Amino acid sequence: MSLAIPRFWREIQSRYNLIGTKCGNCGKVDFPPRAVCPVCGRKSIGKMQRFQLGGKGSVVTYTVIHDAPAQFEMQKPYVMAIIEMDEGVRLTSQLIDVKPEDVRIGMKVQASFRKLGQDGDAGVIHYGYKFRPAG
Amino acid sequence: MRDVAVIGVGETEFGELWDRSFRDLGIEAGLKAIQDAKLRSEDIDAVYIGNMSAGKFIDQEHVSALVADYSGLADMHLPTVRVEGGGACGAIALLQARLAIASGMHDIVVVGGAEKMTDVGEVQAAEILSSTADQEWESVFGATFAGLYAMMARRHMHEFGTTREQMAAVAVKNHKNGALNPEAQFQKEITIDAVLQAPWVAEPLGLFDCAPLSDGAAAVVLCEAQRARKFSDTPIRIAGSGQASDFLALHDRRDLTTLDATVIAGKRAFHEAKIMPKDIQVAEVHDNFTISEILAIEDLRFIEKGKGGPATAEGLTALNGKISVNTSGGLKARGQPVGATGVAQAVEIVRQLRGEAGKRQVVGARHGLTHTLGGTGATAVVHLFERGD
């Protein structure tokens, strides 16, 4: 999949710095940012505040990808996980610096700034978060 | 609302059909359904088409008008509607067509579903399938469609002790049923060992845990129920329909081992039909991966939550078991031309309820169910069918 430059650029704040939102009404944290809180609905409009995640969390579930998209062909097999951040919100990320057979549900992980991919041989490089074992 | 019945069904063979184009397939299924209903073209009021992604697979949008045109209906200037909704698009098209008749706007509507997936390579096809997940927050980071379902499978194994052997039992059962279906893509039985030894796609799912890429189309003709007997001796009534949505990205869902959209779509359909899951004898559920069928039979309340794996291994969902699930072979063995799925499921249930399912006939089938997913479960549709007599 090739990404238009503005399409990646628009989300850089969240992909580089884990910027989400916190609902000014109920306090729920969302990532990526939402304009409307899924819990409070209308009451949250205009009250969604910028919120940076701390970058620490734990593995809820994971998989080892063997059939990869063209963009990730050189990385396979690689580990993908759903991570529950300490703030309660969940996200999907690659797990790195760990052998697939050593990954466990419940494992503590932390965010790391990495190269996600690139647009062909001459296009822009995409950076963002991956997660690695904490500590 | 007016009652609506199915008066005609048709489908193409499913498979890697190199010599058949999208239009060839759509037309064959549509004409078979029209012939089955003994309709004249002037009886038709509208055409609804379920199609996931012709724009990406064959570089052709506006397929609703195309199919009507090449079915010889251009001069009738019928309203044609193409419905999108990931893998659930065919089931949504069926629901929308039902509403169009129930409302009194139309009396007879042809509903088709079609996908031509093998004009692109396998890697590209897998990427197109994953576009029904969250591209910006799942796919961009390397999550594949199979990978997302694999993460549901891993969590189900963790919470309920489900095993790879139990998931493999889904594939073995559906291949066994597919072997009895002359239109199925795979008409060959497989063993548990073959499933377990297949190469990994996304752990814990191997190649035989995944439904194939397929070309194919299916169609049904819907009719206002009071007129239905003019066309069919065994009209099959749509007794209830339910549709539900959920968070697009898997990671945002309330629970990774329950598809809430399935639960709610099922409740809505059963509520309308005033029947219970125990009243269903035959069901076609969305087994795009083996874990998906386990989730579906639990979330539709056929089997207790967490017991879907053992129930399958024990044969409760086998042909003429406690409930016969995916008698057509399911997406796994019949094949998975995405847009056709929801309609093909309806074709199978109608055949079962008419008593025309041949070697795979479920004895005494009176009520049947179809369950269709879009994406990783951000959309689910359930239809309930019953014999009219």
Side-chain angles (χ1 to χ4, degrees), chain B residues 64-336:
Chain B
S64 52
L66 180 149
V67 170
D69 173 2
Y70 274 76
S71 299
L73 302 172
D75 267 348
M76 296 180 57
H77 308 292
L78 297 176
T80 62
V81 181
R82 179 255 184 111
V83 176
E84 190 268 344
C89 58
I92 303 171
L94 184 63
L95 199 157
Q96 291 299 318
R98 180 194 171 204
L99 291 179
I101 295 172
S103 71
M105 186 170 184
H106 298 311
D107 289 328
I108 294 181
V109 177
V110 178
V111 186
E115 210 80 52
K116 176 72 194 175
M117 300 172 75
T118 64
D119 279 353
V120 299
E122 283 180 22
V123 171
Q124 195 182 345
E127 290 183 26
I128 294 170
L129 284 177
S130 80
S131 67
T132 60
D134 189 330
Q135 288 288 73
E136 300 295 335
W137 303 102
E138 293 179 320
S139 312
V140 159
F141 293 89
T144 59
F145 200 53
L148 293 166
Y149 276 92
M151 289 198 282
M152 294 187 227
R154 176 87 64 189
R155 190 71 205 180
H156 204 276
M157 294 165 89
H158 177 77
E159 288 186 26
F160 303 113
T162 303
T163 65
R164 279 206 72 215
E165 287 78 2
Q166 290 164 354
M167 292 194 287
V170 173
V172 170
K173 169 183 73 71
N174 292 350
H175 272 256
K176 195 171 177 185
N177 290 343
L180 303 175
N181 180 357
E183 280 154 338
Q185 182 162 358
F186 301 132
Q187 298 175 33
K188 191 176 167 209
E189 294 193 32
I190 56 172
T191 62
I192 296 277
D193 276 350
V195 181
L196 297 179
Q197 285 164 20
W200 289 119
V201 172
E203 295 178 42
L205 301 179
L207 186 63
F208 284 13
D209 287 286
C210 308
L213 303 170
S214 319
D215 306 323
V220 299
V221 181
L222 301 188
C223 179
E224 188 276 315
Q226 290 190 344
R227 287 186 66 193
R229 284 210 173 268
K230 287 208 300 195
F231 299 97
S232 172
D233 296 334
T234 49
I236 302 300
R237 179 175 168 266
I238 302 179
S241 302
Q243 182 178 345
S245 59
D246 201 345
F247 291 97
L248 182 65
L250 177 65
H251 56 234
D252 280 329
R253 309 252 176 88
R254 181 188 63 82
D255 181 355
L256 296 174
T257 56
T258 301
L259 293 180
D260 283 349
T262 296
V263 173
I264 292 165
K267 278 186 182 167
R268 287 174 179 158
F270 280 111
H271 179 77
E272 185 195 352
K274 299 189 180 65
I275 57 174
M276 310 276 281
K278 67 174 172 51
D279 298 321
I280 301 290
Q281 292 85 36
V282 55
E284 289 282 302
V285 307
H286 199 95
D287 60 327
N288 53 347
F289 299 96
T290 50
I291 183 64
S292 316
E293 180 168 319
I294 290 172
L295 294 179
I297 60 177
E298 295 173 354
D299 295 343
L300 292 165
R301 305 288 192 261
F302 293 136
I303 303 290
E304 189 186 334
K305 187 65 202 155
K307 304 279 176 62
T312 304
E314 289 161 18
L316 297 185
T317 55
L319 186 59
N320 287 309
K322 179 180 175 236
I323 174 168
S324 303
V325 176
N326 284 330
T327 54
S328 69
L331 282 63
K332 177 72 193 78
R334 184 196 56 219
Q336 182 193 207

Side-chain angles (χ1 to χ4, degrees), chain A residues 50-125:
Chain A
R50 186 179 192 272
F51 184 88
Q52 183 168 23
L53 299 177
K56 291 190 188 317
S58 59
V59 172
V60 182
T61 184
Y62 66 97
T63 178
V64 184
I65 306 273
H66 293 262
D67 264 11
Q71 174 87 258
F72 295 89
E73 181 67 22
M74 300 296 284
Q75 297 176 40
K76 71 181 189 184
Y78 60 91
V79 182
M80 293 298 304
I82 290 178
I83 294 157
E84 182 162 307
M85 305 300 291
D86 288 352
E87 294 85 353
V89 68
R90 291 176 176 181
L91 53 76
T92 298
S93 171
Q94 196 171 331
L95 285 190
I96 51 169
D97 298 344
V98 60
K99 289 182 192 155
E101 58 269 30
D102 292 337
V103 180
R104 295 286 180 271
I105 288 173
M107 185 176 166
K108 300 288 182 194
V109 293
Q110 63 187 56
S112 183
F113 184 75
R114 297 293 172 112
K115 177 180 170 180
L116 294 180
Q118 62 188 42
D119 190 6
D121 290 337
V124 295
I125 295 174

